[in-house]
């Protein structure tokens, strides 16, 4: 089977940097994605790593180490609107994913 | 609005009734996925379509669940004889997968249909 582990909660202050880790055990790994979901909203795609290394998209960066079955999402210059749940998801084949249980990020003033 | 749309947004039904949800994906997307999400958990894969063909069904999808995508455009998810354990958010997502490119592509999610079985 597949399993992903990520912290359940993270708290940080506005303007800070926060890192959300994700470790996984899967077969047929194609890549690691990150999604953001606000309360009552739809998951929104943030980033995707197929190869080892860092991908940067604005204030968000995502890292993957396939040998360690590990990745993280880095959020910089935190804003109040970044308070949300963040899910890592392993792509098992094109488009189909297994999601972690999510990390609730609370940004405080 | 050219995003993924789902209807209805909310559904309350009595145990034992049948319900049907609809998903309209982004028009040029060939892949359509159904996920289920319960409070405090991530989306769980249920099934997906490549155009009109249903390629895979999760073991989570009991015989009471059926999904169709008759013309390769919109999709329906039907739950027969609903049970209280079916209460969840049902999410639809779509993506464009280019033949020969086996890689993750960005999946766009709809707002979901929240089902409450009483």
């Amino acid at each position: 089977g597949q399993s992903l582990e990520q912290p359940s909660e993270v708290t940080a202050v506005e303007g800070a940097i926060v890192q959300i880790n994700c470790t996984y055990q899967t077969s047929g790994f194609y890549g690691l994605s990150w999604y953001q979901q606000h309360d009552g909203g739809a998951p929104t795609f943030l980033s995707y790593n197929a190869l080892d290394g860092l991908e940067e998209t604005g204030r968000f960066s995502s890292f993957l180490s396939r040998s360690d079955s590990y990745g993280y999402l880095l959020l910089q210059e935190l804003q109040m609107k970044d308070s949300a749940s963040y899910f890592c998801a392993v792509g098992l084949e094109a488009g189909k994913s297994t999601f972690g249980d999510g990390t609730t990020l609370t940004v405080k003033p | 609005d050219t995003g993924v749309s789902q209807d209805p947004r909310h559904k309350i039904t009595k145990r034992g009734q049948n319900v049907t949800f609809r998903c309209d994906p982004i028009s040029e997307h060939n892949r359509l996925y159904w996920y289920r999400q319960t409070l405090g958990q991530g989306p769980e894969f249920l099934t997906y379509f490549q155009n009109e063909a249903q390629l895979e069904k999760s073991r989570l999808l009991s015989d009471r669940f059926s999904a169709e995508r008759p013309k390769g455009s919109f999709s329906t998810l039907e739950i027969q004889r609903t049970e209280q354990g079916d209460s969840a958010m049902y999410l639809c997502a779509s993506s464009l997968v280019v033949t020969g490119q086996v890689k993750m592509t960005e999946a766009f999610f709809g707002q979901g249909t929240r089902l409450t079985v009483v």
Side-chain angles (χ1 to χ4, degrees):
Chain A
Q2 292 85 28
S3 68
L4 293 90
E5 287 191 14
Q6 52 182 127
S8 58
E9 295 180 348
V10 173
T11 302
V13 297
E14 250 185 318
I17 299 172
V18 72
Q19 178 174 312
I20 300 174
N21 299 320
C22 175
T23 57
Y24 59 87
Q25 289 185 323
T26 67
S27 57
F29 176 86
Y30 281 100
L32 187 71
S33 294
W34 289 90
Y35 286 81
Q36 179 191 61
Q37 187 176 31
H38 287 97
D39 275 350
T44 304
F45 176 85
L46 292 176
S47 68
Y48 168 65
N49 295 70
L51 303 174
D52 290 354
L54 192 68
E55 295 283 341
E56 297 181 69
T57 309
R59 295 187 298 114
F60 295 172
S61 303
S62 58
F63 172 82
L64 175 66
S65 168
R66 289 176 297 171
S67 60
D68 295 323
S69 298
Y70 163 75
Y72 67 71
L73 179 70
L74 191 73
L75 297 87
Q76 302 182 65
E77 300 171 17
L78 282 175
Q79 303 174 9
M80 297 297 289
K81 67 178 182 179
D82 297 329
S83 292
S85 292
Y86 292 84
F87 296 91
C88 58
V90 168
L92 302 176
E93 61 180 276
K96 174 188 161 190
S97 300
T98 293
F99 285 76
D101 284 339
T103 298
T104 300
L105 170 64
T106 302
V107 180
K108 296 188 172 181
Chain B
D1 186 9
T2 58
V4 178
S5 63
Q6 294 187 243
D7 183 71
R9 293 291 308 277
H10 303 274
K11 178 71 178 178
I12 300 175
T13 191
K14 290 184 179 180
R15 189 175 51 186
Q17 297 294 306
N18 299 342
V19 294
T20 300
F21 311 141
R22 176 180 170 121
C23 171
D24 287 90
I26 294 172
S27 59
E28 60 267 27
H29 284 182
N30 51 7
R31 287 258 175 134
L32 185 147
Y33 314 85
W34 284 99
Y35 287 84
R36 179 172 67 189
Q37 186 176 26
T38 52
L39 195 63
Q41 296 194 335
E44 295 175 295
F45 170 78
L46 293 179
T47 188
Y48 80 99
F49 293 83
Q50 170 83 14
N51 299 315
E52 66 275 9
Q54 188 173 19
L55 296 187
E56 186 172 343
K57 293 172 60 174
S58 164
R59 281 173 285 184
L60 292 174
L61 217 63
S62 76
D63 291 343
R64 297 185 296 105
F65 288 71
S66 61
E68 295 182 344
R69 194 182 182 196
K71 296 182 180 178
S73 56
F74 73 92
S75 175
T76 58
L77 177 68
E78 181 183 17
I79 309 174
Q80 297 182 326
R81 306 180 303 281
T82 52
E83 301 173 356
Q84 287 188 321
D86 297 332
S87 295
M89 175 76 83
Y90 290 84
L91 293 165
C92 174
S94 69
S95 66
L96 177 63
V97 176
V98 177
T99 303
Q101 292 185 11
V102 182
K103 64 173 186 179
M104 170 68 72
T105 57
E106 180 177 352
F108 293 82
F109 280 83
Q111 294 291 322
T113 295
R114 182 168 295 284
L115 172 67
T116 303
V117 181
V118 297

